[in-house]
Amino acid sequence: MDNGASSYRRYLNGDESAFDDIMKELFDNLVFFINRYVHDIHTAEDIAIDAFSDLIVHKHRYNFKVSLKTYLFMIGRSRALNYIKHRDKLKMIEISDVEDETADYEELEEIILTDERKRILNSALKQLPDDMRIAIHLIYFENLSYEETAKVMKKNRKQVDNLLYRAKKELRTILGKEGGLLL
Amino acid sequence: MRNFEERKAEIFRRSEERITKRKQIQNRVIVSIIPLFVVITVLSLNLLPESLPAAQNNTSTTTDTTTSTLSVKVRDSSENSENYYAIADAESAMTLLDNIIENEIASDIPMTTENSKLQDAAASQSRFSTYIIVVTESNGIQTTYKLSHYTLHDLSADKMYALTDEEYENLKEALSIPQK
């Protein structure tokens, strides 16, 4: 398992079906990750589509030095932050849209949060500050290494260590003694 | 949310759109750069010959290549030598020549080719040497003089000037012409 790099190499060599494999492997996770920033599942999906189209438009920008997952998450984060920076302060949302969005989010949660441990952790994450939430998400939900997490978050290893230490401490308080064992 | 096929179609549609847009921008940049490049080339071709000193076109066998600043070179034509020597203090030699030209009234005798040849012959036969002086100004303009016994001949303007003893000696000194 190389988090999509070999599939992308196949795609670059002309195997169109390899792109499907990348999408199946990474698309939902990317949407779920971007949603941590934008808190809007449809926008997250839109941004994920843009991130994936980067793989087609700039075919040789990815240098295979990091996993494709890390690379896509880096693009996703950057695009999400860019979106947050430029979005309108006031946004009118139809109530029916909110209902749709909730349903879509729950559907995605079903796909990503495969076990009970992750579900409990996910509900507790909502109470954490953004940075901590993202760090926990990348380590515990996406199984990225500390180095990869640091790359995605544009921080150094030490900063990620500190973030995780503080996040775990917070989570233990939120989840209680039993919940602490999940980490 | 979109299903898998819809997402894939959207990814490829946006990619195509972005690639087309990128190509359009590249084309626009090229279209705007080519005329600019042509203008720069034409301008530089027009301005370059002007900025080059005229001395570069001179086919003489001078060894001095510092033509961008004022220079005065002298050749003793009576020795049948083609070699010029450069004057270290070109500035004062030039000033002296300017003063002579400004103060002196040009000779009424027209300097025909025949006269010039006669003067050369006389000079070569006599014990007085004839010197060719080439003054190159900082803008590349060259003026050639011929200095023989108490006469200075501006070859460029074709005018002759009679020199006083003092002027002749001063000029010889300024041009580092050895006393014979």
Side-chain angles (χ1 to χ4, degrees), chain B residues 142-159:
Chain B
Q142 277 195 344
T143 317
T144 311
Y145 301 94
K146 190 189 277 182
L147 177 69
S148 53
H149 189 56
Y150 291 99
T151 49
L152 179 70
H153 179 198
D154 184 347
L155 295 174
S156 310
D158 201 13
K159 283 182 178 172

Side-chain angles (χ1 to χ4, degrees), chain B residues 169-180:
Chain B
E169 291 308 321
N170 285 346
L171 195 56
K172 276 173 79 178
E173 195 185 331
L175 297 172
S176 308
I177 292 169
Q179 299 291 332
K180 289 186 179 174

Side-chain angles (χ1 to χ4, degrees), chain B residues 28-117:
Chain B
R28 228 173 285 162
V29 168
I30 290 169
V31 163
S32 56
I33 277 177
I34 287 174
L36 196 72
F37 182 76
V38 170
V39 166
I40 290 169
T41 311
V42 169
L43 278 176
S44 59
L45 281 174
N46 284 339
L47 295 176
L48 202 65
E50 286 171 23
S51 63
L52 282 176
Q56 280 195 355
N57 298 327
N58 194 356
T59 53
S60 76
T61 55
T62 55
T63 50
D64 183 16
T65 54
T66 55
T67 50
S68 57
T69 53
L70 174 72
S71 72
V72 176
K73 294 177 287 185
V74 180
R75 176 164 69 88
D76 186 349
S77 65
S78 60
E79 288 179 355
N80 291 327
S81 167
E82 285 295 312
N83 293 328
Y84 284 85
Y85 62 88
I87 304 302
D89 191 5
E91 200 72 49
S92 50
M94 175 74 177
T95 313
L96 204 60
L97 282 165
D98 282 347
N99 286 342
I100 290 167
I101 290 161
E102 275 174 30
N103 298 333
E104 296 294 326
I105 299 159
S107 167
D108 292 328
I109 306 160
M111 196 60 203
T112 60
T113 316
E114 203 176 324
N115 283 345
S116 178
K117 278 179 183 169

Side-chain angles (χ1 to χ4, degrees), chain A residues 7-25:
Chain A
S7 301
Y8 191 55
R9 210 183 287 275
R10 278 196 294 127
Y11 170 71
L12 291 179
N13 290 331
D15 182 358
E16 294 285 330
S17 68
F19 200 79
D20 293 1
D21 297 343
I22 299 170
M23 279 188 67
K24 280 172 193 159
E25 194 181 329

